Amino acid sequence: HRDLHSFPTRRSSDLSPNEPCTRGQVLTYIYRWNDSPKSSIKNPFKDVRPSDSFYNAALWAYEKGLFKGNTLNGNSPCTRGDTIEFLWKYANSYPMNPADNFTDVPRSSKYHSAVSWAYWMRVATGITPTTFEPESACTKAQVVTFIYNLEHSHFMDWLKISDCYNAGTLEIDELNPNKEPHQIIKAD
Protein backbone atom coordinates (compact mmCIF):
# COMPACT_ATOMS: atom_id res chain seq x y z
CA HIS A 1 0.00 0.00 0.00
CA ARG A 2 2.81 2.42 0.64
CA ASP A 3 4.45 3.79 -2.47
CA LEU A 4 7.76 5.37 -1.55
CA HIS A 5 8.42 6.18 -5.22
CA SER A 6 5.57 8.65 -5.69
CA PHE A 7 6.90 11.52 -3.61
CA PRO A 8 6.40 14.94 -5.21
CA THR A 9 9.50 16.41 -6.80
CA ARG A 10 10.24 18.87 -9.57
CA ARG A 11 11.22 15.98 -11.83
CA SER A 12 10.80 12.30 -11.12
CA SER A 13 14.60 11.89 -11.13
CA ASP A 14 15.28 14.93 -8.91
CA LEU A 15 14.48 14.42 -5.23
CA SER A 16 16.89 17.20 -4.10
CA PRO A 17 17.48 15.37 -0.80
CA ASN A 18 19.11 18.27 1.05
CA GLU A 19 16.41 20.77 0.12
CA PRO A 20 14.10 21.77 2.99
CA CYS A 21 10.59 20.37 2.83
CA THR A 22 7.55 22.59 3.12
CA ARG A 23 4.69 21.71 5.44
CA GLY A 24 2.56 20.95 2.38
CA GLN A 25 5.21 18.62 0.95
CA VAL A 26 5.58 16.70 4.23
CA LEU A 27 1.82 16.14 4.41
CA THR A 28 1.81 15.15 0.73
CA TYR A 29 4.56 12.58 1.33
CA ILE A 30 2.57 11.02 4.18
CA TYR A 31 -0.64 11.23 2.12
CA ARG A 32 0.90 9.53 -0.92
CA TRP A 33 2.52 6.92 1.33
CA ASN A 34 -1.07 6.08 2.27
CA ASP A 35 -2.23 5.70 -1.36
CA SER A 36 -3.72 9.21 -1.60
CA PRO A 37 -7.07 8.45 0.07
CA LYS A 38 -10.04 10.72 -0.60
CA SER A 39 -11.16 13.09 2.11
CA SER A 40 -14.81 13.84 2.73
CA ILE A 41 -14.44 17.04 4.73
CA LYS A 42 -14.98 20.65 3.79
CA ASN A 43 -11.79 22.70 3.56
CA PRO A 44 -11.11 23.99 7.12
CA PHE A 45 -8.11 26.10 6.07
CA LYS A 46 -8.16 29.77 5.24
CA ASP A 47 -4.80 29.52 3.43
CA VAL A 48 -5.25 26.30 1.39
CA ARG A 49 -6.84 26.48 -2.05
CA PRO A 50 -7.93 23.69 -4.43
CA SER A 51 -5.16 24.83 -6.78
CA ASP A 52 -2.45 24.06 -4.18
CA SER A 53 -0.50 20.89 -4.94
CA PHE A 54 -0.99 19.80 -1.32
CA TYR A 55 -4.75 20.53 -1.17
CA ASN A 56 -5.96 16.91 -0.94
CA ALA A 57 -3.13 15.97 1.42
CA ALA A 58 -3.98 18.88 3.72
CA LEU A 59 -7.66 17.94 3.91
CA TRP A 60 -6.80 14.28 4.53
CA ALA A 61 -4.26 15.24 7.23
CA TYR A 62 -6.81 17.46 8.95
CA GLU A 63 -9.46 14.73 8.82
CA LYS A 64 -6.99 12.20 10.28
CA GLY A 65 -6.00 14.54 13.11
CA LEU A 66 -2.45 15.19 11.94
CA PHE A 67 -3.13 18.90 11.99
CA LYS A 68 -5.49 21.21 13.84
CA GLY A 69 -6.30 24.84 13.28
CA ASN A 70 -7.30 26.77 10.19
CA THR A 71 -3.89 28.01 8.99
CA LEU A 72 -1.50 25.46 7.49
CA ASN A 73 1.26 27.67 6.07
CA GLY A 74 1.74 24.93 3.51
CA ASN A 75 4.52 26.70 1.60
CA SER A 76 6.59 27.39 4.73
CA PRO A 77 9.49 25.13 5.69
CA CYS A 78 8.48 22.25 7.95
CA THR A 79 10.60 21.69 11.04
CA ARG A 80 11.97 18.33 12.12
CA GLY A 81 9.75 18.58 15.19
CA ASP A 82 6.60 19.21 13.16
CA THR A 83 7.43 16.38 10.76
CA ILE A 84 7.85 13.92 13.62
CA GLU A 85 4.70 15.25 15.28
CA PHE A 86 2.70 14.65 12.05
CA LEU A 87 3.99 11.06 11.88
CA TRP A 88 3.35 10.50 15.59
CA LYS A 89 -0.22 11.73 15.22
CA TYR A 90 -0.58 9.49 12.18
CA ALA A 91 0.46 6.63 14.50
CA ASN A 92 -2.39 7.58 16.88
CA SER A 93 -0.09 9.58 19.19
CA TYR A 94 1.08 6.31 20.69
CA PRO A 95 2.62 6.99 24.12
CA MET A 96 6.18 5.92 24.86
CA ASN A 97 8.53 6.19 27.78
CA PRO A 98 10.26 9.57 27.77
CA ALA A 99 13.48 9.82 25.81
CA ASP A 100 15.50 12.41 27.68
CA ASN A 101 18.74 12.10 25.73
CA PHE A 102 18.14 15.22 23.59
CA THR A 103 19.06 18.41 25.42
CA ASP A 104 17.05 20.52 22.96
CA VAL A 105 13.82 18.53 23.53
CA PRO A 106 13.14 18.84 27.26
CA ARG A 107 10.01 17.30 28.78
CA SER A 108 8.38 20.74 28.61
CA SER A 109 8.79 20.85 24.81
CA LYS A 110 5.67 20.45 22.68
CA TYR A 111 7.65 17.88 20.69
CA HIS A 112 8.82 15.71 23.61
CA SER A 113 6.18 12.97 23.29
CA ALA A 114 6.50 12.76 19.50
CA VAL A 115 10.32 12.76 19.58
CA SER A 116 10.32 10.13 22.35
CA TRP A 117 8.07 7.93 20.21
CA ALA A 118 10.27 8.45 17.13
CA TYR A 119 13.40 7.69 19.12
CA TRP A 120 12.12 4.48 20.72
CA MET A 121 10.49 3.27 17.49
CA ARG A 122 13.73 4.07 15.61
CA VAL A 123 11.84 6.29 13.20
CA ALA A 124 14.26 9.16 13.78
CA THR A 125 17.57 9.83 15.43
CA GLY A 126 19.14 13.05 16.56
CA ILE A 127 21.43 15.24 14.52
CA THR A 128 23.99 14.41 17.22
CA PRO A 129 23.70 11.92 20.10
CA THR A 130 22.41 14.73 22.35
CA THR A 131 20.55 17.08 19.96
CA PHE A 132 17.47 16.50 17.82
CA GLU A 133 17.17 20.03 16.40
CA PRO A 134 13.36 20.12 16.41
CA GLU A 135 13.26 23.70 15.10
CA SER A 136 15.58 23.02 12.13
CA ALA A 137 14.04 22.69 8.69
CA CYS A 138 13.42 19.07 7.79
CA THR A 139 15.08 18.05 4.54
CA LYS A 140 13.43 15.86 1.92
CA ALA A 141 15.93 13.11 2.70
CA GLN A 142 15.01 13.24 6.39
CA VAL A 143 11.28 13.04 5.66
CA VAL A 144 11.74 10.08 3.32
CA THR A 145 13.99 8.39 5.90
CA PHE A 146 11.47 8.91 8.70
CA ILE A 147 8.65 7.45 6.58
CA TYR A 148 10.85 4.56 5.44
CA ASN A 149 11.83 3.80 9.04
CA LEU A 150 8.21 3.92 10.18
CA GLU A 151 7.18 1.63 7.33
CA HIS A 152 9.88 -0.88 8.21
CA SER A 153 9.38 -0.72 11.97
CA HIS A 154 6.19 -2.79 11.63
CA PHE A 155 4.68 -0.49 14.25
CA MET A 156 1.80 0.42 11.95
CA ASP A 157 1.06 -3.27 11.31
CA TRP A 158 1.01 -3.91 15.05
CA LEU A 159 -1.21 -0.86 15.63
CA LYS A 160 -3.67 -1.95 12.94
CA ILE A 161 -3.86 -5.47 14.37
CA SER A 162 -4.26 -4.07 17.88
CA ASP A 163 -7.07 -1.74 16.74
CA CYS A 164 -8.86 -4.62 14.99
CA TYR A 165 -8.51 -6.83 18.04
CA ASN A 166 -9.81 -4.10 20.34
CA ALA A 167 -12.75 -3.49 17.98
CA GLY A 168 -13.69 -7.17 18.24
CA THR A 169 -12.66 -8.38 14.79
CA LEU A 170 -9.34 -9.32 13.32
CA GLU A 171 -9.05 -10.29 9.69
CA ILE A 172 -6.64 -13.17 9.22
CA ASP A 173 -5.57 -11.53 5.96
CA GLU A 174 -4.07 -8.72 7.99
CA LEU A 175 -1.60 -11.29 9.31
CA ASN A 176 -1.22 -13.43 6.21
CA PRO A 177 -2.22 -11.87 2.88
CA ASN A 178 -1.86 -15.28 1.14
CA LYS A 179 -4.55 -16.87 3.33
CA GLU A 180 -7.79 -17.64 1.44
CA PRO A 181 -10.67 -17.25 1.89
CA HIS A 182 -11.07 -14.21 4.14
CA GLN A 183 -11.64 -15.29 7.70
CA ILE A 184 -12.67 -13.16 10.61
CA ILE A 185 -11.88 -13.91 14.22
CA LYS A 186 -14.32 -12.40 16.66
CA ALA A 187 -12.85 -11.44 20.00
CA ASP A 188 -14.86 -12.75 22.93
Side-chain angles (χ1 to χ4, degrees):
H1 88 71
R2 312 217 195 269
D3 183 2
L4 298 178
H5 300 289
S6 65
F7 288 172
T9 59
R10 289 185 300 267
R11 295 185 316 260
S12 61
S13 63
D14 184 17
L15 178 61
S16 302
N18 296 320
E19 185 176 294
C21 248
T22 66
R23 295 169 61 81
Q25 287 172 323
V26 169
L27 293 177
T28 300
Y29 287 5
I30 299 169
Y31 172 73
R32 289 188 179 174
W33 175 52
N34 281 278
D35 297 327
S36 305
K38 298 293 181 213
S39 176
S40 59
I41 66 166
K42 183 181 173 202
N43 183 357
F45 300 106
K46 59 183 179 181
D47 65 341
V48 176
R49 307 280 176 259
S51 59
D52 290 327
S53 62
F54 51 83
Y55 177 79
N56 291 326
L59 268 57
W60 172 82
Y62 187 91
E63 183 177 31
K64 290 293 182 190
L66 276 65
F67 185 85
K68 293 184 183 197
N70 63 3
T71 305
L72 178 64
N73 294 316
N75 291 314
S76 296
C78 192
T79 66
R80 286 173 48 86
D82 282 341
T83 301
I84 290 302
E85 187 173 39
F86 291 150
L87 288 170
W88 177 62
K89 287 179 178 179
Y90 172 76
N92 294 339
S93 304
Y94 195 81
M96 288 288 183
N97 288 329
D100 294 326
N101 48 324
F102 299 121
T103 58
D104 56 352
V105 188
R107 288 190 183 199
S108 60
S109 168
K110 72 176 192 167
Y111 299 121
H112 190 268
S113 294
V115 170
S116 293
W117 167 82
Y119 175 78
W120 291 117
M121 294 308 303
R122 298 183 181 182
V123 170
T125 59
I127 297 297
T128 72
T130 59
T131 60
F132 188 80
E133 295 188 13
E135 299 299 334
S136 293
C138 196
T139 67
K140 290 180 178 180
Q142 289 169 340
V143 175
V144 172
T145 300
F146 298 159
I147 292 171
Y148 178 88
N149 290 346
L150 179 54
E151 171 73 16
H152 290 85
S153 73
H154 300 293
F155 176 78
M156 297 310 299
D157 295 333
W158 174 85
L159 190 61
K160 189 174 187 180
I161 290 168
S162 176
D163 287 347
C164 289
Y165 179 80
N166 290 334
T169 61
L170 176 64
E171 293 185 26
I172 292 294
D173 289 346
E174 297 296 327
L175 302 173
N176 182 357
N178 298 320
K179 180 89 172 162
E180 292 290 338
H182 295 300
Q183 296 180 12
I184 296 179
I185 297 173
K186 298 242 187 239
D188 295 330

